[in-house]
Every structure is written in structure tokens, then in C-alpha cells.
């Protein structure tokens, strides 16, 4: 699979790069926890993705680039999670999300053909439409109480594990629960999903579409699993600072360690070209290509025996 991926990118003149797995900064995202390492100088972090360093390369004029590398996330272990996993990430300057969808689809067709696996052109669904079909509700305009009522009725055992945080954070938590339990698991054939709430933008741009404030990003699902996550990349350094501050406020409320914004990434933002970027979970993808039921079937050394 790795050989096929590298051949695919070589044929499209996208350059393979390598960036540090261990770095001085990590993500501020309150939903992602990093593994820290004590070095002879100070605390450093195993990277949750190569995003920050690759954006610094893009800002320096690298052009289209990709990377296949290990990534690390703390407290993520289970049937579909491993604290260490393999990520494919690539960026294309002057490329739209729609064009990136097409490129991902071609890659998937190449891999599926080689593995003898059935693959159909992904259905393109909208977050709002999926909620409307499954729960008969607009997730962008529904109140926390309305969404909680549905979650309590449909997934009572899951609701009790929700954080008690109030406001926008609680709204996102309930939306995430409904999507992951009620929608994601039903997306067995390939699906591209767009129109996620603006509060779930991470480092993607946002805009108003059909009266709703949404994030300019998409995710790809296959066999009920999230396989890929793509952004129309944020270029505004002021906005980046603001989002990091909100992330750290949420971290403080959740009694999680604060994370300092990567100053080198911030400095690079003013030179970052308009671009689209995507991350693909290689291990989950291999699960789908081999009809496996858990990561342990495709990892040479899962966390339990690493």
C-alpha cells in the first residue's frame, strides 16, 4: 500500500518530505491530547500530525508536498484507535476542496483496484442534511436541550459520559455524540461529508453558506470509519491567535494543560499560500482495504505488545 501511495504522488509531481516527529510545540485543540517527552533541555511533544512543520515548508515555497509518518495521540486506544498510528498528509497550493476530493478519490480508486476491493464514487453529503435525515433536526440551529433530548432517547448510556461544560462547548459535545453514534456508523459506502459547524473548523477557513456559518472542510468515511479530514487552510494569523486562545480557555475549564501557540507556525502564516490540505489515517484505510475489523489486525505491533 505504501509503495502504491508513493508511486501515485510521484506521478503527480508531489514531493515527499520528512519533518520532525518530536517538536517544541503541539496542537492547542482541546479534543486532542499530546504525548510529552522530557528532553535534556525541556519538555517536547510527539506530534499529533505533521501539519505545523509542513505548513512552514509551504510558506517557504516548497510547492505541493506529502508525507507518510508516525503520529501520536494520548489516551486513544481501542478497536479503531492506537496511541501511535501512521498518517498520510498532503498539501496542494492553489487547490480547492473540490479538487482535493477528486484527487483523494483517484488515490482510493488506485488502491482499491490493486487490493481487489469494491469501490464506488463517494456520495457527497452535507452535515445538516445528514442530521435532518437521521434525527429530523437542524444541527446548526437546534438548542443544546433539543439535541440532548434526542441523545438521551437514542444513546442513554453515552449521554452520561458527556462533559458538564456549558454553552457552545456542550453544544459541540452533543452534536459530536449524535454524529458519531447515529450517523458516522451508517456511512458504510464511501462518503464525503461537508458543512461541519464553524465551531469545528480547527485550522480551516469558515464562511456562511445558505445562511449557516460552516467550516470549509470535508471528511471521508468508509465502512463507518472516518478515514480522511481535509481543510481549505486558514491563512489569517490574527484568527489563528484567537482560536488558540479559545482552545486554551476550554482546556482550562476542562482542567487540561494549557498549550502555547507555535510561534514559528504563526510567523509562517503571512507567507502561507492559498492551499488545501488533507490527512488520511493509513491504518484505518488498510482495515478497509483488507476487510479487517480492528486495528490490531493490520498493525505489526499494536500498543498492547509494542
Amino acid at each position: 500500500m505504501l509503495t502504491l501511495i508513493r508511486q501515485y504522488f510521484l506521478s503527480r509531481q508531489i514531493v515527499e518530505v520528512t519533518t520532525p516527529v518530536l517538536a517544541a510545540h503541539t496542537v492547542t485543540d482541546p479534543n486532542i491530547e499530546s504525548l510529552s517527552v522530557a528532553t535534556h533541555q525541556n519538555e517536547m511533544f510527539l506530534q499529533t500530525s505533521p501539519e505545523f512543520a509542513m505548513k512552514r515548508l509551504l510558506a517557504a515555497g516548497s510547492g505541493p508536498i506529502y508525507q507518510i509518518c508516525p503520529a501520536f495521540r494520548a489516551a486513544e486506544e481501542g478497536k479503531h484507535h492506537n496511541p501511535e498510528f501512521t498518517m498520510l498528509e498532503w498539501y496542494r497550493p492553489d487547490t480547492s476542496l473540490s479538487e482535493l476530493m477528486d484527487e483523494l478519490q483517484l488515490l482510493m480508486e488506485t488502491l482499491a483496484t490493486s487490493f481487489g476491493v469494491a469501490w464506488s464514487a463517494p456520495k457527497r453529503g452535507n452535515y445538516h442534511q445528514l442530521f435532518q435525515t437521521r434525527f429530523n433536526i437542524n444541527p446548526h440551529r437546534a438548542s443544546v436541550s433539543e439535541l440532548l433530548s434526542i441523545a438521551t432517547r437514542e444513546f442513554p448510556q453515552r449521554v452520561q459520559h458527556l462533559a458538564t461544560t456549558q454553552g457552545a462547548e456542550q453544544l459541540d459535545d452533543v452534536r459530536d455524540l449524535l454524529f458519531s453514534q447515529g450517523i458516522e456508523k451508517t456511512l458504510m459506502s464511501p462518503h464525503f461529508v461537508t458543512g461541519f459547524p464553524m465551531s469545528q473548523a480547527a485550522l480551516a477557513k469558515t464562511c456562511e453558506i445558505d445562511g449557516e456559518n460552516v467550516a470549509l472542510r470535508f471528511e471521508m468515511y468508509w465502512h463507518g470509519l472516518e478515514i480522511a479530514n481535509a481543510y481549505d487552510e486558514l491563512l489569517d494569523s490574527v484568527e489563528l491567535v484567537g482560536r488558540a486562545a479559545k482552545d486554551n480557555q476550554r482546556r482550562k475549564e476542562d482542567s487540561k494543560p494549557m498549550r502555547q501557540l507555535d510561534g514559528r507556525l504563526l510567523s509562517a502564516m503571512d507567507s502561507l499560500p492559498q492551499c488545501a490540505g488533507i490527512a488520511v489515517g493509513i491504518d484505518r484505510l488498510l482495515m478497509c482495504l483488507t476487510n479487517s475489523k480492528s486495528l490490531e489486525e493490520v498493525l505489526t505491533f499494536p500498543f498492547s505488545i509494542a
Side-chain angles (χ1 to χ4, degrees):
M1 182 179 67
L2 296 178
T3 299
L4 289 168
I5 290 171
R6 287 190 163 97
Q7 289 173 344
Y8 177 84
F9 285 115
L10 179 63
S11 71
R12 303 178 77 82
Q13 297 183 311
I14 302 177
V15 177
E16 183 172 11
V17 299
T18 301
T19 59
V21 171
L22 187 65
H25 292 88
T26 188
V27 294
T28 58
D29 191 326
N31 298 308
I32 298 177
E33 285 309 305
S34 305
L35 290 167
S36 63
V37 177
T39 73
H40 65 288
Q41 292 182 332
N42 48 33
E43 180 185 38
M44 298 185 76
F45 300 93
L46 292 170
Q47 295 300 284
T48 61
S49 96
E51 179 177 8
F52 290 2
M54 292 183 77
K55 285 182 174 177
R56 288 164 61 186
L57 290 177
L58 288 162
S62 67
I65 52 177
Y66 83 97
Q67 182 167 186
I68 299 171
C69 63
F72 303 83
R73 298 188 183 183
E76 294 195 10
E77 185 179 1
K79 188 177 179 181
H80 300 141
H81 295 86
N82 200 66
E84 178 180 356
F85 57 100
T86 303
M87 182 173 284
L88 162 65
E89 192 154 329
W90 79 93
Y91 293 85
R92 268 197 174 277
D94 302 315
T95 298
S96 69
L97 280 179
S98 180
E99 291 170 322
L100 198 60
M101 281 186 191
D102 293 339
E103 188 160 70
L104 175 60
Q105 182 173 331
L106 283 173
L107 173 60
M108 295 301 302
E109 288 174 356
T110 300
L111 294 173
T113 298
S114 179
F115 276 76
V117 175
W119 169 265
S120 57
K123 298 176 183 178
R124 301 197 177 192
N126 180 278
Y127 185 88
H128 178 181
Q129 294 168 346
L130 291 169
F131 263 83
Q132 199 72 51
T133 300
R134 176 64 175 83
F135 299 114
N136 193 31
I137 199 166
N138 181 341
H140 299 288
R141 300 189 179 184
S143 66
V144 173
S145 60
E146 289 174 316
L147 293 170
L148 262 177
S149 176
I150 296 172
T152 302
R153 180 184 72 241
E154 301 250 356
F155 314 107
Q157 294 182 326
R158 297 280 182 171
V159 169
Q160 58 186 308
H161 298 296
L162 287 174
T164 57
T165 310
Q166 301 297 309
E169 292 80 10
Q170 187 184 32
L171 176 61
D172 256 343
D173 285 347
V174 182
R175 282 191 296 213
D176 282 348
L177 172 62
L178 291 174
F179 187 87
S180 64
Q181 299 301 311
I183 297 174
E184 178 178 330
K185 292 181 177 181
T186 70
L187 304 179
M188 300 303 292
S189 63
H191 276 75
F192 288 141
V193 179
T194 60
F196 287 89
M198 183 171 66
S199 56
Q200 298 178 20
L203 296 186
K205 294 176 183 173
T206 60
C207 74
E208 183 178 313
I209 299 177
D210 297 331
E212 309 289 0
N213 292 318
V214 299
L216 291 178
R217 52 180 287 249
F218 74 82
E219 293 185 359
M220 189 191 86
Y221 294 87
W222 192 20
H223 291 281
L225 293 172
E226 178 195 339
I227 304 297
N229 185 11
Y231 298 164
D232 186 342
E233 300 293 346
L234 180 70
L235 306 178
D236 187 337
S237 58
V238 175
E239 176 67 15
L240 176 64
V241 171
R243 291 188 191 182
K246 288 181 180 179
D247 285 348
N248 273 317
Q249 179 59 37
R250 173 75 184 273
R251 284 184 160 277
K252 183 178 180 181
E253 292 169 356
D254 293 344
S255 301
K256 294 180 178 178
M258 309 284 272
R259 300 301 188 199
Q260 184 179 4
L261 177 61
D262 187 341
R264 293 187 178 92
L265 172 65
L266 184 61
S267 297
M269 290 293 283
D270 292 334
S271 302
L272 190 64
Q274 188 284 321
C275 60
I278 184 168
V280 178
I282 287 293
D283 310 307
R284 287 187 179 183
L285 176 54
L286 190 55
M287 281 179 59
C288 295
L289 292 171
T290 57
N291 197 30
S292 300
K293 303 303 180 185
S294 72
L295 286 178
E296 286 201 350
E297 295 180 53
V298 299
L299 292 175
T300 311
F301 296 105
F303 190 66
S304 59
I305 61 169

